[in-house]
Amino acid sequence: MTYYLSSYKFGNKIEELKRLIPNNNRIGHINNSRDWVGNDPERANKHQNEEIETLNGFGFKAEPLDLKMYFHKTDELRHKINSLGALWVSGGNTFVLRMAMKLSGFDDIFEDLKHRDDFLYGGYSAGICVLSNSLESIEIVDDPNNFPYKEINAPIYKGLGIFNYAFMPHYDSDHFESEAIGKEIQRCIDNKWLFKALRDGDVIIEEQI
């Protein structure tokens, strides 16, 4: 799988993102990190529609992929994802996103998906933080005890395990979470946890890992 990992939104490597569009340019936009308790659904939908429009402008054929529609329906989600060539996973609350991935069976699907050499995973903020081994290093920025889904009432700290380091998006940036990210980085240093800090605009591209 190829990864396009941005600190915020689509970052400053748009031409590279366009180059990475698979032959199957259908991309599912996952917005479940914005399902947190207290969020404005209308605002979340507006945000998703704007990002889908942008992805279409890059050359993708984008569509919403709401993991809530697949809770306890892993086979259906697997079939859906197998019809796509890419995923874009939006920012929000990393722990809420992780819960949605667990309840939909995305965890199991991802174990097979990550071995495909014709698939692109793109995202930013929560959408990249969830790829780490552990989510412990992001719990100041994102509330791990926000439980929008009735099936889960305890935080999930285990990430998808692609990277052995934590992502620290919005570092030293004009973003409302930048100060909290600074505190998270200090925690990482104090605990000797591996991390990579990204300023908004920064993008990490990992091809075929």
Side-chain angles (χ1 to χ4, degrees), residues 123-193:
Y124 66 93
S125 196
I128 69 172
C129 290
V130 75
L131 295 171
S132 300
N133 283 339
S134 171
L135 309 185
E136 188 174 1
S137 60
I138 204 73
E139 64 180 353
I140 293 176
V141 175
D142 292 342
D143 181 5
N145 294 299
N146 189 298
F147 304 116
Y149 314 124
K150 60 181 178 59
E151 296 95 332
I152 293 182
N153 58 10
I156 301 174
Y157 283 97
K158 182 181 179 182
L160 294 181
I162 298 299
F163 300 96
N164 66 349
Y165 54 84
F167 291 97
M168 293 286 122
H170 317 309
Y171 168 67
D172 191 24
S173 301
D174 184 19
H175 190 282
F176 73 95
E177 291 181 338
S178 184
E179 182 178 352
I181 284 292
K183 294 177 181 178
E184 298 282 29
I185 288 175
Q186 189 59 53
R187 286 180 66 229
C188 288
I189 293 170
D190 293 343
N191 289 284
K192 296 182 171 58
W193 296 336

